[in-house]
Amino acid sequence: MRFSDVVRDLDLSQATAHAILKTLSDRGWVQRDPVTKTFSLGPALSLIASRLDSARPLANLAHDAARRLATAVDVPASVIERAGDDLVITAFEQPKGGAISASPNERIPYTAPFGVAFAAWDTPEAQRAWIQRAAADDAALTRQLTDVLTQTRERGYDIDWMTPALAQAAHAIGSLSDHALPVNMRSIIDQLRVEFTSAALTSDDDPRAPRPVATISAPVLDKGGRIQLVLGVHPVRPMTARDVQRTAKPLLDEVARLSTT
C-alpha cells in the first residue's frame, strides 16, 4: 500500500499516519520499499507467524481438518472463530478444482441469520445478545431464533439454507449502521433485517425435497463444553435431508477428534 492509501483507507491525517508507520517500520512490523514507496508487512510478523502453530494448536489442527474435509467431501471447508461482534474465517480450503471463493480473515457480523452454529453453543448471555441484535422488539422473531438455537443443539450441527444471493443481500443489510442511515430509512432497514433473517431460518417441511444448502457447520468444544471455533463445509447446491446427513457425517467425525484434543 502507498502512504496515501493508508491515509485514505484508515481515515487518518497525514501526520498521524506518518507517525504510526514510522513506529511500525522502526519495530519491523512493516517495511517500505525505497523504489516504489509502498508499505508491506515486515519481517517481525514472520517471527510471530512461525510461533502460531505452537501458540494456537487447536486452530492449527482445525486447519488440517478443513483440508481433509475439502478432499473427503469434495466441497470447500472452513474454520470460523469469533472476534468480538464478528465471526472471522481463519481458514478456507478448496477441493481440487474448486471454484467457490472466500478470503481468510473475511469478517461476518455475529448476528442472525449468521453464526447460528456459534450462538447455539455460546453462553446464555451471548445468545440473548445475538438474538437481540437481529430481533430487537420482534417477539415472533425472538421465539423463532430461540427455537432455531434449540433445534441446532439437538441436531448437533447447523444447516444454512441461504442461497448465495440471499446471503450477499443479508450481509449487506446487516453491515449497515443505524448511525449512517437517514432517520426515515431506519425503520425500512430494520424491517429488511427481520425479513432476511426470517427467510433464512425457514426450512421446508418435506425432507425429500432438495433445498439450496450454503453451509453445514458444527462447533468444536473444549472439555468444559465451551465453544472454541466452528468447522464447516460449503456444498452450495440443492440437497435433500439425507444428502445433508451424509455430508455432515465426516464433518462431525472431524469435530469429535478436535473436541478431544
Side-chain angles (χ1 to χ4, degrees), residues 125-197:
E125 180 182 3
Q127 287 180 347
R128 287 191 292 271
W130 180 82
I131 291 171
Q132 176 65 23
R133 282 193 291 272
D137 297 325
D138 190 313
L141 184 55
T142 296
R143 287 193 299 271
Q144 186 180 13
L145 289 170
T146 302
D147 290 344
V148 164
L149 296 186
T150 300
Q151 294 164 6
T152 300
R153 285 182 70 102
E154 291 173 350
R155 187 194 303 120
Y157 57 91
D158 174 48
I159 308 168
D160 181 350
W161 303 102
M162 284 193 290
T163 63
L166 181 59
Q168 289 177 355
H171 192 293
I173 291 296
S175 65
L176 292 174
S177 170
D178 288 342
H179 300 296
L181 291 170
V183 174
N184 62 336
M185 289 188 63
R186 291 178 187 174
S187 61
I188 299 173
I189 295 301
D190 286 343
Q191 186 59 38
L192 281 173
R193 289 190 180 114
V194 170
E195 294 298 333
F196 275 119
T197 300

Side-chain angles (χ1 to χ4, degrees), residues 4-120:
S4 58
D5 297 328
V6 176
V7 170
R8 182 190 66 247
D9 292 353
L10 298 183
D11 194 23
L12 298 172
S13 69
Q14 291 192 8
T16 300
H18 180 269
I20 293 173
L21 286 170
K22 183 179 185 306
T23 300
L24 294 174
S25 297
D26 291 344
R27 298 182 182 181
W29 296 109
V30 302
Q31 57 188 7
R32 182 172 181 267
D33 188 302
V35 177
T36 64
K37 312 298 185 184
T38 58
F39 290 88
S40 59
L41 300 181
L45 283 182
S46 298
L47 299 176
I48 296 295
S50 66
R51 298 172 186 163
L52 283 179
D53 287 354
S54 58
R56 303 182 70 238
L58 179 60
N60 186 48
L61 292 172
H63 295 179
D64 291 340
R67 282 189 284 270
R68 289 193 297 270
L69 276 172
T71 299
V73 186
D74 198 29
V75 299
S78 65
V79 178
I80 298 179
E81 301 181 65
R82 184 178 174 187
D85 289 334
D86 290 330
L87 300 176
V88 183
I89 300 173
T90 56
F92 192 86
E93 299 293 335
Q94 291 271 18
K96 188 175 181 180
I100 299 173
S101 63
S103 303
N105 298 322
E106 181 179 336
R107 288 177 176 258
I108 304 165
Y110 185 37
T111 184
F114 303 107
V116 173
F118 220 104

Side-chain angles (χ1 to χ4, degrees), residues 193-218:
R193 289 190 180 114
V194 170
E195 294 298 333
F196 275 119
T197 300
S198 182
L201 298 175
T202 302
S203 61
D204 200 324
D205 292 333
D206 184 357
R208 297 168 298 179
R211 290 198 58 204
V213 175
T215 303
I216 304 169
S217 53

